[in-house]
């Protein structure tokens, strides 16, 4: 990801603005990130040397509530990338009507090169550096690429040490034993599943008559594959970074998950002489998976997977984006021309941030919900917002991504305008 990501995000905003009547003030407000913080984090390494890492925290907009967004540890993290991700979070939180603005954080680091103790010192050092910039009512952290529940626990602990009081609501995605929410680990896949289930009847389809291919078999992709399998969908192909497997009559997802956990990867499952040998008919590449003739394609791996170069090969009728930014805006245009429906990331993968919101609510109220309550509340909210986005797309004859942005912009615009607009100041005395 690079500068082009923020530019790409900006292009989508420009396009969606054509279909809203939000005030000039709102447009002006959303042009730039509200606040961007760059910090240097000194870390004592295990070999005794001192190393300084670059870290970032960006609040893009907080009109609708405190900032909310994950922290990414990756060698490619840059201020530009963090700003782009904070932009996405702003629209995702507004799309789901969560009382949050959009934020994001990151450290430029390859965490795989650190020892566990170095990783802990880095994570606590990051919180030391940004402590004045975050808080349960200011900006709330969460996990993202290469950060997990344990790291969130360290961050919460460090913030609590600084504040001299226990502050669970400053970080979500914590271990359940430290105030984390039940269902947070499955929330993204669960949210995507609810969106698929609630929108499929619009295409006169049922689970039993629907084939699915899923790119990416990690936290989001593998759990979604399982939920779809259990509901009777024919999941014909799945893949990971090494490649994929295909079976015309559907894969046995539970056994693939079990073997993926115990062996090297999906492709190895097929190649090994195991029970999984019978699970697949064919091995295929990720490029082949994306071009399969299936009803539903789910990109659940990385950004920029469907570009102008391969969008023409896509044969799926429906795409549900579980990954963030898997389709470029140039590819969007090609898919739209082909009549392919793309359910966008800011809706489909918003189950994660929605259950993060539930975690924050539970931390602040001190009352903890059951898994059933959490999934029920998630379903209610995400299905309702999917329906609203569908109606906007239908009423304005626009694609679903633009409709999702319009939906978010309307909410953001309303909040920004509530403080007064040019018309208000010039026309009312
Ligand atoms: P993960 O690291 O658990 O899994 C990623 C999967 O993608 C792995 O199976 C990996 O092997 C596979 N992969 C990597 N490179 C690939 C390639 N070139 N082709 C095919 N597969 C490849 O990550 P995750 O948490 O499942 O996240 C996946 C996507 O979903 C990301 O874009 C992430 O931003 C998005 N997302 C995740 C969550 C969440 O709560 N986990 C929430 C919102 C969005």
């Amino acid at each position: 990801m690079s500068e082009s990501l923020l530019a790409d995000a900006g292009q989508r905003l420009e396009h969606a603005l054509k279909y809203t009547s939000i005030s000039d003030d709102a447009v002006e407000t959303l042009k730039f990130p509200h606040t961007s913080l760059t910090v240097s984090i000194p870390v004592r390494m295990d070999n005794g040397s001192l190393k300084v890492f670059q870290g970032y925290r960006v609040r893009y907009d907080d009109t609708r509530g405190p900032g909310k967004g994950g922290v990414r540890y990756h060698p490619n993290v840059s201020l530009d990338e963090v700003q782009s991700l904070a932009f996405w979070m702003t629209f995702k939180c507004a799309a789901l009507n969560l009382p949050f603005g959009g934020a994001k954080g990151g450290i430029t680091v390859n965490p795989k090169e650190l020892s566990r103790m170095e990783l802990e010192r880095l994570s606590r050092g990051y919180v030391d550096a940004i402590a004045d910039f975050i808080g349960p009512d200011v900006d709330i952290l969460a996990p993202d690429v290469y950060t997990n529940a344990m790291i969130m626990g360290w961050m919460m602990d460090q913030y609590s040490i600084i504040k001299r009081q226990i502050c669970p609501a400053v970080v979500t995605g914590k271990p359940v034993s430290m105030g984390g929410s039940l269902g947070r680990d499955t929330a993204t896949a669960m949210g995507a599943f609810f969106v698929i289930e609630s929108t499929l009847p619009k295409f006169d389809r049922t689970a039993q008559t629907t084939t699915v291919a899923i790119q990416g078999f990690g936290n989001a992709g593998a759990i979604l594959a399982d939920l779809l399998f259990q509901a009777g969908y024919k999941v014909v192909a799945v893949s990971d970074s090494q490649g994929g497997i295909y079976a015309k009559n559907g894969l046995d997802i539970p056994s693939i998950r079990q073997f993926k956990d115990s062996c090297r990867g999906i492709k190895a499952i097929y190649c090994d002489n195991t029970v999984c040998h019978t699970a697949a008919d064919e091995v295929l590449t990720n490029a082949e998976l994306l071009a399969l003739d299936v009803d539903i394609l789910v990109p659940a791996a990385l950004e920029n997977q469907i570009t102008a170069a391969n969008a023409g090969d896509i044969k799926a009728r429906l795409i549900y984006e579980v990954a963030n930014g898997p389709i470029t805006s140039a590819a969007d245009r090609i898919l739209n021309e082909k009549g392919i429906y793309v359910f966008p990331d800011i809706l489909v993968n918003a189950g994660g941030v929605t259950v993060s919101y539930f975690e924050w609510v539970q931390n602040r109220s001190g009352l903890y919900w059951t898994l059933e309550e959490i999934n029920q509340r998630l379903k209610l909210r995400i299905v309702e917002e999917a329906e609203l986005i569908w109606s906007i797309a239908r009423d304005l004859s626009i694609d679903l991504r633009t409709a999702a942005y319009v939906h978010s912009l309307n909410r953001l615009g309303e909040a920004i305008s509530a403080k007064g607009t040019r018309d208000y100041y010039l026309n009312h005395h």
Side-chain angles (χ1 to χ4, degrees):
M1 296 208 277
S2 64
E3 273 179 12
S4 63
L5 191 64
L6 188 56
D8 212 57
Q11 274 192 25
R12 282 174 172 158
L13 179 60
E14 290 278 315
H15 181 60
L17 279 169
K18 292 185 209 149
Y19 301 96
T20 67
S21 51
I22 66 168
S23 69
D24 296 347
D25 296 26
V27 176
E28 190 67 12
T29 305
L30 292 170
K31 245 196 219 160
F32 303 110
H34 181 294
T35 324
S36 303
L37 181 70
T38 302
V39 295
S40 297
I41 310 156
V43 176
R44 181 67 59 192
M45 306 301 280
D46 291 348
N47 67 7
S49 67
L50 188 77
K51 199 161 177 198
V52 177
F53 295 87
Q54 290 293 286
Y56 309 93
R57 186 74 192 171
V58 172
R59 270 204 302 287
Y60 198 92
D61 183 78
D62 58 4
T63 316
R64 301 187 75 257
K68 182 89 193 76
V71 182
R72 177 172 293 195
Y73 287 1
H74 196 276
N76 295 344
V77 164
S78 64
L79 181 60
D80 175 72
E81 182 189 85
V82 177
Q83 287 176 333
S84 316
L85 294 165
F87 169 94
W88 265 334
M89 285 306 296
T90 307
F91 285 83
K92 198 181 290 186
C93 290
L96 268 283
N97 209 8
L98 308 179
F100 291 135
K104 202 79 182 192
I107 302 178
T108 314
V109 60
N110 182 354
K112 291 178 184 169
E113 289 172 356
L114 300 185
S115 73
R116 289 179 182 186
M117 283 185 283
E118 288 167 343
L119 193 64
E120 179 176 358
R121 289 195 285 268
L122 176 67
S123 304
R124 289 182 183 275
Y126 177 66
V127 173
D128 287 341
I130 65 165
D132 292 334
F133 195 71
I134 59 171
D137 289 307
V138 182
D139 185 353
I140 302 126
L141 313 181
D144 191 65
V145 175
Y146 291 146
T147 51
N148 56 22
M150 187 166 211
I151 295 174
M152 294 307 112
W154 289 332
M155 290 187 175
M156 189 280 264
D157 188 49
Q158 191 64 20
Y159 186 80
S160 300
I161 289 169
I162 294 166
K163 294 289 168 188
R164 297 205 169 269
Q165 55 180 280
I166 304 300
C167 305
V170 71
V171 177
T172 60
K174 302 178 292 291
V176 172
S177 57
M178 290 178 74
S181 178
L182 296 174
R184 177 63 186 84
D185 49 345
T186 53
T188 300
M190 195 62 88
F193 176 70
F194 291 144
V195 173
I196 294 173
E197 282 275 280
S198 72
T199 52
L200 204 61
K202 298 180 191 305
F203 302 94
D204 292 326
R205 298 208 150 271
T206 61
Q208 283 68 26
T209 60
T210 301
T211 54
V212 187
I214 303 181
Q215 184 203 30
F217 206 68
N219 179 41
I223 296 173
L224 177 60
D226 214 354
L227 290 170
L228 291 171
F229 175 85
Q230 305 299 344
Y233 291 76
K234 219 189 271 180
V235 182
V236 295
V238 295
S239 69
D240 60 14
S241 56
Q242 301 167 47
I245 48 175
Y246 173 81
K248 191 162 65 50
N249 295 321
L251 295 159
D252 180 44
I253 300 296
S255 66
I256 295 169
R257 279 190 79 190
Q258 204 180 346
F259 278 87
K260 165 89 180 166
D261 286 346
S262 64
C263 69
R264 296 178 298 282
I266 286 173
K267 212 163 155 185
I269 291 168
Y270 176 74
C271 303
D272 281 356
N273 194 15
T274 68
V275 57
C276 293
H277 187 71
T278 55
D281 299 340
E282 270 178 51
V283 177
L284 78 181
T285 65
N286 269 291
E288 287 165 343
L289 180 139
L290 292 175
L292 280 175
D293 188 2
V294 285
D295 299 308
I296 296 181
L297 174 64
V298 179
L302 305 172
E303 58 279 347
N304 293 341
Q305 292 301 293
I306 302 177
T307 65
N310 63 353
D313 302 335
I314 306 291
K315 296 181 199 69
R317 259 70 74 198
L318 307 171
I319 300 179
Y320 290 84
E321 289 183 328
V322 166
N324 280 312
I327 301 178
T328 63
S329 53
D332 259 348
R333 284 191 283 276
I334 298 168
L335 298 176
N336 285 340
E337 276 164 24
K338 287 170 66 113
I340 296 170
Y341 285 81
V342 177
F343 288 84
D345 47 7
I346 61 170
L347 168 69
V348 177
N349 72 26
V353 69
T354 303
V355 176
S356 272
Y357 162 54
F358 296 161
E359 181 172 332
W360 180 79
V361 170
Q362 292 171 82
N363 290 157
R364 289 161 69 94
S365 70
L367 179 67
Y368 286 81
W369 308 340
T370 63
L371 185 59
E372 288 68 34
E373 277 178 283
I374 284 155
N375 285 336
Q376 202 183 5
R377 287 177 198 263
L378 170 62
K379 183 176 180 180
L380 265 177
R381 186 173 286 258
I382 206 162
V383 167
E384 185 182 343
E385 300 303 336
E387 199 53 46
L388 289 171
I389 290 168
W390 178 266
S391 306
I392 293 172
R394 191 195 47 206
D395 295 349
L396 300 178
S397 302
I398 53 178
D399 61 276
L400 289 158
R401 188 190 312 284
T402 307
Y405 276 83
V406 168
H407 186 46
S408 303
L409 273 171
N410 287 340
R411 284 192 175 135
L412 285 159
E414 197 182 332
I416 294 166
S417 300
K419 291 191 259 184
T421 60
R422 185 181 54 183
D423 285 352
Y424 171 79
Y425 290 111
L426 296 185
N427 298 332
H428 298 267
H429 300 286

